[in-house]
Structure formats: C-alpha cells, structure tokens
Amino acid sequence: MKVTRRGFIAAALAASTPLGAETFAGSYAPDAEPIGQGIWLVRGADEAIGFANGGAIANSVILATDAGPLIVDPGPSRRYGEALSALAARLTGKPPARVFVTHLHPDHSFGAGAFDPRIVAALAGTRVELDRDGAGFSDAMYRLLVDWMRGTEVPRPGLALTPGPLAIGGRIVRVMALAGHSAADLALLDESTGTLIAGDLVFHDRAPATPHADLALWRHSLAALASTPHRQLVPGHGPLDPTAAAIAQTRDWLDWLEQALRDAVASGLDMTEAGSLPIPSRFAAVKAARYELQRSVAHLYPRFEAELLPRIDS
Amino acid sequence: MRLVDLLLACAALVGPAATAAAAPPRDPLGSPMWDFHARRLFGSDPVVFDEAVAVTIPPIAENQRVFPVTVDARKLAGVKRIVLFGDLNPIPVAVDFRPTGAAPFIATRIKLDQRTPVRAAVQTLDGTWHVAGSWIDAAGGGCSAPPVSRVKGDWADHLGEVRGGAWRDGIDTRLRVTIRHPMDTGLVENIAAYNVDRLTVSDEAGQRLAEMTVYGSVAEDPAFTFIVPGTGSGAFAIAAHDSNGLAFSGTARSAPGPAPALRK
Ligand SMILES: [Zn+2]
C-alpha cells in the first residue's frame, strides 16, 4: 500500500478526532444573497480556516449569463465547489459556464476540482504559484479540515486570463491583472451592475492576510481599484461594500501594519512582542485582527529586521 | 543520524546523566517525551513547574521554520541557566543560556517539526529547575526542510553577517543580534549538520554577560534578544562560533537617545 504524506496525516488526525471518517456528517450549505441583476454574493465566515467552518471563509460570486452562470472563487474544497455548482445551477437553471480563481490561496481556489478544468480560468501567474505552493497548501488543508477535503486536489486551471473585457453569454466582465496580496491577483468588474469583485486585494471588516504579500505592489493595486469606477465592491473576505470604505480600510490596515512592525524592529522588539502590539481602536470592528497581526509578524518581521538593523560586524 | 542518537547526543551535552534519580514530577502537558527529557536534562536535580517562568509563544505556528519564543524568568532570583527545548523536535534543545551578567531573559526563534510542547527549564543557584511551557500545533517541516538560503543558493554570500543594536530604556539595556547562517540540522538529505554552536556577549569592560550553547533547532539566520540590567555599558561585544570552526563577531552600540516611540 502506498501511503501519501497527506493521506497519512489525514488518517492520523481522523483517528484522533471525534469527527472521524465513520461519523463525519458535515455538509456545506452555501447561501446566495442577490446583490444586483443576475448577481449573487455567497459569503464566507469572517474567521480563520478551521474544522468548524470547513474552510468556507472566502466570499464567492455567482453571475448569470445566457451561456450559464459564472462562478468567482470556487471555495476551499471539492465538496464546497460541488455545493456552489449546484447552487448556481439552481439559481440560473443552467450548469456553470466558467469558474474564475482570483488567486492561489486554498480558501479561494481548492474548490476548482469540482469543475472541468477546461472551464476554470486564472491569471497565468496564479497557475505558476499553484504549481509551486499547491502541494504544501494541500497538506495543511487536509490536516486542518480532514474529511471536508475528501477528493480535493491541487487546482490546475485550464484557461489563462489576460486583461481586458471578456464577453460570455451576453455579460461583459472586465479582467484586471493585479498583484500585491499574491504575485497574481485577479479582479473582475461586472459592467452591467458596476460590481467590482476584488478578490483578496480588498478585505472588509476582516483583517488582511499577508502570507505572500508585497505591500508596495498591494498599495499600487488598491489605487488601481479605487480609480476604477464601480457601484459596489465584493471583498475577498467580509461584507459587501456599497460605500468605497473597504479599499480605504484595507489600505489603512496595511499602512498601520507596516509602520508598526518597522517601528517595532527599530525599537528593539522581538517577534512575540511585535505580535502583542496594541491594535488601534479604529480597527475594533475588524475581525481576526490579532490573529492576522501575529501571522503578519511571521511573514514580514525577519525581512524588516534584515533591512532595518544595521550591520555590526567587527 | 538516527533520531534516538540525536536525542542522546543533545541530552548528553546539556546535563548530567541520571543515576538513581527520583522520578520527575508529573507533566501538566502530558508529553510522551517528558520523562525522557527530564531525566536526561535534570538528572537528580529538583524539578518544579513554575508560573514564575513566562514562556511566550504565538498561538499558531504560521512558519514552522521560524517560530518565535520569548522566555522571561526575571521573577526568579539567582538564575544560572535557561534551557529552551521542544519535547518532540528531532533536535529537542534549541539553546542552553547562562546569563552570567544579563537578565534571565532570552528571545529567539526555533524550528518545529511537529506538534510539540515548547518549554523553558530555568535553573536557580540552589540547583532547582523551574519549568514552564505549552503545546504548539505544527504541521512539520521545520527541521526536515532545507533552509531558504540553501534553496536560493546564496547562503555563502552572506554567511556570518552580523546585525543588531542596543536600546536603553532608562533602567535596562536591550540587546538584539542576528547572524546570517543556514543552521543546517543534518536532517535534510545531502546537507550535513552545520550550525552556530556558541555565542557570548561581553560589556565594554570585557565582563562576560551571557554565554550560550546553540543547537541546530534554532531557526536559520538566528536572532537573539537579551536584556542587560543597567544602562552603563555603551557597547557590547558579540562573539559567535559555528560547528565548522568559523568565528563571527560584532559590536552593538547603544543608540543615542531613547528608542522611537511605538505608534498607537
Ligand atoms: Zn488570499
């Protein structure tokens, strides 16, 4: 018998959890909220990935077209992707025509396995990043989510997107190729409703995650989104934003985070101390703020130390 | 090297072997390796679990190659030694620190190879070990994945670069030092163990403030934070040594004026 690393890990965890393979009865029930003509938002939990939420923490969007629905971000697992596919078919009476993966992170991308790869589209950079990091994500997701992940494989989107308008079944979505949250971040503008689907370039009342962040590029992309006329914005995580608050809030968090960590390095603090820094009261409503600050310390602090601490070799 | 050899090798370096020692106290963390480590590290010395030792770790291991740990034993008087270890790490002990003039405080980063207790054992002058720590969940790969600089291939270009600084807060002086080093564990195929193995800190007058034995379970590009009581010394000499016999050194000078205020 060949036992893969992730199979072994999943088995070991299943054996030690009360929700083992035999008793696992979890099922996803994604809920679609209409946010315009032929467009629905499927909200993720504003939490960290965990067994209790099955990893369903990212927002997804369904758009109706004459050719069949478009799905933006198929979620964390094959089973979630299947549930989303069924939901889209129920809403529109047609099977999905196209699935868009906004970026590599598994809470957004790993549900792609529920669909024919020939209808799954992503930026070329996202395909490269998935090839590089997908296996590692897979190990971590199987370990955390165990049975929720059954049948889930690393996504291999079959279609590469290029910037510009894309017409499908009478609907026009504008493809924007940006970066900063990851090396390749897809945003989509649904022209008929003026809905900007921002992926994880924008978080709303939920703290931004930075595992692959390039903060300068991210700010640049936020400026590009802000200067794209739109009526409402779907963030990667958090509630729909009809007021342009979410772009500003994401920018405010990133600016605060970077300066706070740079000040911490310049003040002689170590990583655990930086993770305990006070979070400004203006972020009181931002969910998962402490959790993401501590993750960001892990992602960014050694880099800032290498930049800011002077050489003292003798 | 087999796991058990490593465990024994590490253990042999840091403690007297137990002969007819009393059984160590029951582990509040329920670790399967507690008895093994307690007997090897503490021998027949008395051992107590003590909340006066603060071991601060993040609640999640976001990066198992670089997991920060801060040990603060300043509530205890007469500390002569602090041993930081992870029970289930293939190289359990990370640092063995003797604060000969520094405060009993150390912050660093370690590698994690699986879910494990992370603990500090703090020995006071009466010989008693004061132990504290907690479990951290980790997926693995900290000790058995190649260092980032090995993957990039640029480790030799920066080997031994020392960075750091000293900050006076009015009462104490805080000292930070980082050394570029791959800290190879010997657990990655075709890469032999190679790590910083010793580090000392002395003040301007040449008085030894800290001595530390460093093991391969300390993270790549090791970083250490020390606290030195008082603000008298303006410069601190850091001397390190690695397992290939290379020596690295640097001098951290107190910045004039206080550290920049942290933004609220
Ligand atoms: Zn993301």
Side-chain angles (χ1 to χ4, degrees):
Chain A
M1 187 178 79
K2 185 170 175 280
V3 178
T4 63
R5 172 181 172 78
R6 83 178 181 219
F8 173 76
I9 291 166
L13 262 154
S16 65
T17 164
L19 287 165
E22 283 161 37
T23 56
F24 183 75
S27 67
Y28 294 108
D31 201 21
E33 154 197 349
I35 56 170
Q37 188 66 41
I39 180 168
W40 294 266
L41 169 60
V42 181
R43 287 274 284 119
D46 299 330
E47 300 166 359
I49 293 172
F51 190 85
N53 56 37
I57 64 164
N59 291 333
S60 301
V61 177
I62 297 168
L63 300 115
T65 83
D66 296 339
L70 319 180
I71 293 176
V72 184
D73 279 347
S77 61
R78 183 189 180 97
R79 293 162 68 130
Y80 190 88
E82 287 166 354
L84 205 55
S85 178
L87 175 62
R90 248 188 347 266
L91 290 168
T92 63
K94 296 193 172 88
R98 190 71 55 92
V99 176
F100 296 89
V101 172
T102 58
H103 66 295
L104 80 160
H105 290 151
D107 48 331
H108 299 258
S109 65
F110 269 36
F115 305 89
D116 182 339
R118 288 171 299 183
I119 69 159
V120 179
L123 295 172
T126 298
R127 299 203 292 184
V128 171
E129 287 199 293
L130 278 167
D131 286 342
R132 184 194 66 204
D133 292 340
F137 287 155
S138 186
D139 278 0
M141 294 290 277
Y142 268 86
R143 197 169 156 276
L144 276 170
L145 301 177
V146 201
D147 282 302
W148 290 108
M149 294 300 289
R150 232 184 272 162
T152 304
E153 310 236 341
V154 175
R156 296 253 141 68
L159 299 170
L161 292 165
T162 47
L166 188 65
I168 305 176
R171 198 156 195 138
I172 297 171
V173 290
R174 179 140 47 104
V175 171
M176 299 174 73
L178 302 168
H181 172 72
S182 70
D185 293 300
L186 168 68
L188 294 169
L189 179 69
D190 175 43
E191 297 209 330
S192 67
T193 62
T195 305
L196 186 54
I197 303 164
D200 273 2
L201 287 169
V202 180
F203 285 66
H204 188 204
D205 290 342
R206 200 277 185 200
T210 60
H212 296 88
D214 177 320
L215 298 176
L217 274 179
W218 196 337
R219 286 189 191 93
H220 194 73
S221 293
L222 287 172
L225 292 173
S227 66
T228 301
H230 59 278
R231 274 190 224 114
Q232 59 183 2
L233 181 146
V234 175
H237 298 262
L240 180 73
D241 177 27
T243 64
I247 292 175
Q249 187 187 56
T250 302
R251 166 92 202 210
D252 189 16
W253 174 276
L254 296 179
D255 288 350
W256 167 74
L257 176 73
E258 177 162 8
Q259 196 58 54
L261 297 188
R262 286 176 176 275
D263 284 352
V265 171
S267 303
L269 300 193
D270 210 319
M271 288 172 75
T272 58
E273 296 164 319
S276 308
L277 284 173
I279 296 170
S281 57
R282 67 182 186 276
F283 297 124
V286 173
K287 298 203 171 80
R290 176 68 56 193
Y291 169 76
E292 291 298 349
L293 168 60
Q294 287 174 333
R295 292 184 73 205
S296 292
V297 168
H299 308 144
L300 304 171
Y301 212 71
R303 207 188 301 167
F304 290 156
E305 285 176 334
E307 184 187 324
L308 296 171
L309 290 178
R311 285 280 290 278
I312 58 166
D313 315 13
S314 36
Chain B
M1 201 179 217
R2 287 179 311 138
L3 173 62
V4 67
D5 293 336
L6 264 171
L7 288 170
L8 293 172
C10 291
L13 285 166
V14 290
T19 44
R26 214 174 99 86
D27 177 21
L29 301 182
S31 161
M33 292 299 284
W34 165 249
D35 278 11
F36 177 87
H37 290 309
R39 286 174 195 280
R40 293 297 192 287
L41 291 170
F42 313 135
S44 54
D45 299 335
V47 180
V48 294
F49 291 98
D50 192 341
E51 285 176 7
V53 176
V55 180
T56 307
I57 58 173
I60 49 158
E62 178 68 15
N63 182 351
Q64 6 241 337
R65 299 159 181 261
V66 186
F67 182 70
V69 185
T70 299
V71 180
D72 188 348
R74 285 177 291 174
K75 285 189 182 161
L76 292 176
V79 170
K80 60 177 185 180
R81 208 167 146 197
I82 298 177
V83 177
L84 172 64
F85 66 103
D87 292 30
L88 302 180
N89 257 0
I91 304 173
V93 174
V95 298
D96 180 352
F97 170 47
R98 279 92 55 198
T100 52
F105 173 102
I106 180 80
T108 188
R109 296 112 200 221
I110 64 173
K111 298 166 194 149
L112 296 173
D113 220 46
Q114 64 176 90
R115 186 174 130 82
T116 179
V118 172
R119 311 191 202 242
V122 179
Q123 192 178 34
T124 42
L125 289 170
D126 65 356
T128 302
W129 290 93
H130 305 255
V131 180
S134 52
W135 283 92
I136 180 70
D137 198 6
C143 292
S144 47
V148 173
S149 64
R150 288 269 182 203
V151 176
K152 276 170 70 183
D154 68 344
W155 67 274
D157 301 343
H158 301 283
L159 183 72
E161 288 179 6
V162 184
R163 293 177 185 275
W167 294 261
R168 293 165 165 153
D169 71 359
I171 303 165
D172 296 324
T173 304
R174 171 180 281 254
L175 181 64
R176 300 209 57 220
V177 56
T178 70
I179 303 171
R180 289 290 295 269
H181 203 285
M183 297 299 284
D184 296 311
T185 56
L187 301 170
V188 179
E189 230 173 306
N190 301 324
I191 304 177
Y194 177 43
N195 57 276
V196 171
D197 59 8
R198 189 176 143 77
L199 184 142
T200 61
V201 179
S202 307
D203 69 11
E204 269 172 324
Q207 199 213 319
R208 183 66 56 85
L209 302 172
E211 297 174 354
M212 190 157 58
T213 311
V214 180
Y215 297 91
S217 49
V218 167
E220 182 179 7
D221 300 337
F224 303 102
T225 302
F226 303 95
I227 291 175
V228 179
T231 55
S233 185
F236 300 89
I238 292 123
H241 180 278
D242 77 14
S243 54
N244 280 3
L246 293 181
F248 315 109
S249 61
T251 305
R253 295 177 199 285
S254 297
L262 296 177
R263 259 167 223 233
K264 289 292 169 309

